[in-house]
Amino acid sequence: MNAVAVFDTAIDRAAAGIPAGFTARHASGAVYRFDPAAWCRDVIAGDGALIAACTGHTLDVGCGPGRLTSALADAGRTVLGIDLSASAVRLARRRGAPALQRDVFGPVPGTGRWRHLLLADGNIGIGGDPYRLLRRCRQLLAAEGHLHTELAPAGTPAWSGTATVQTPEGARSLRWACVPLDNLPGLAEATAMRVLHTWTEGGRWFATLTPR
């Protein structure tokens, strides 16, 4: 079972109403908890401001079962969700969200033309290298586009690289990262982005960035 299969299995279980939360543990001792049940809901606290921020063509990176993608489509936005998980894409389409099984680091429709990108639910951790991910997001965005991302609270230990997930089949490796709010300015500077503003809602922390 590879990392994608870990997410496939967890999402399928959550969609069936079976407890599916899991924890990734980094060598530093830091942990990151995933809650696939929340991804399968229609809305969770804090989604409202993210949805309102996306006023134009939007790419939802790591869309999961399509919670935000479908909400944006229902609001009349032009939106596309992408995810490596086949289960996530299948569930997103089932709820009416336009979604493709794609790697954000591979070919993506509309590269260089997206007005808004979403990295919600901790997806700034995708791939285990937030510098690489933000550089890729900058390529996907239009020149005056906006990246809206969810972060860990300030003061949370930052980590990146390979974490370990325990599954019924045994320990599996997962490339992921945890980026706290207070690490964002340096990350933005290093990736030719700048932070426009930050906010918190529903116990979650967010920021909007744009290319410099």
Side-chain angles (χ1 to χ4, degrees):
M1 179 184 290
N2 59 25
V4 176
V6 170
F7 282 105
D8 277 343
T9 300
I11 289 169
D12 282 338
R13 286 172 60 89
I18 302 169
F22 64 94
T23 299
R25 301 183 183 277
H26 188 251
S28 66
V31 298
Y32 193 97
R33 293 178 175 83
F34 294 86
D35 182 12
W39 308 338
C40 294
R41 297 175 194 158
D42 290 334
V43 64
I44 62 176
D47 284 354
L50 276 179
I51 294 166
C54 298
T55 56
H57 290 49
T58 300
L59 180 68
D60 185 3
V61 178
C63 66
R67 185 185 83 249
L68 291 167
T69 311
S70 61
L72 285 164
D74 289 345
R77 311 290 200 278
T78 299
V79 61
L80 175 67
I82 59 170
D83 203 293
L84 274 176
S85 165
S87 293
V89 170
R90 172 175 48 80
L91 290 169
R93 290 174 175 172
R94 184 181 295 173
R95 72 200 303 175
L100 296 174
Q101 188 177 3
R102 291 287 189 277
D103 183 346
V104 67
F105 298 108
V108 175
T111 295
R113 301 193 301 275
W114 291 101
R115 300 296 301 176
H116 298 274
L117 258 66
L118 282 178
L119 286 173
D121 299 324
N123 282 340
I124 195 170
I126 287 173
D129 185 346
Y131 292 90
R132 181 185 180 217
L133 180 59
L134 258 65
R135 285 193 293 268
R136 177 56 173 154
C137 287
R138 192 181 188 283
Q139 294 172 347
L140 293 168
L141 279 171
E144 296 180 355
H146 290 160
L147 166 64
H148 312 289
T149 185
E150 184 170 355
L151 304 134
T156 303
W159 59 269
S160 60
T162 301
T164 301
V165 177
Q166 291 293 333
T167 75
E169 293 78 16
R172 305 299 173 192
S173 295
L174 176 66
R175 298 282 303 175
W176 205 260
C178 176
V179 180
L181 183 65
D182 44 349
N183 277 41
L184 188 60
L187 177 60
E189 178 69 22
T191 54
M193 303 279 283
R194 62 186 177 93
V195 180
L196 290 180
H197 62 94
T198 64
W199 76 95
T200 182
E201 182 180 350
R204 299 161 69 190
W205 298 82
F206 306 97
T208 295
L209 301 89
T210 193
R212 284 197 282 110

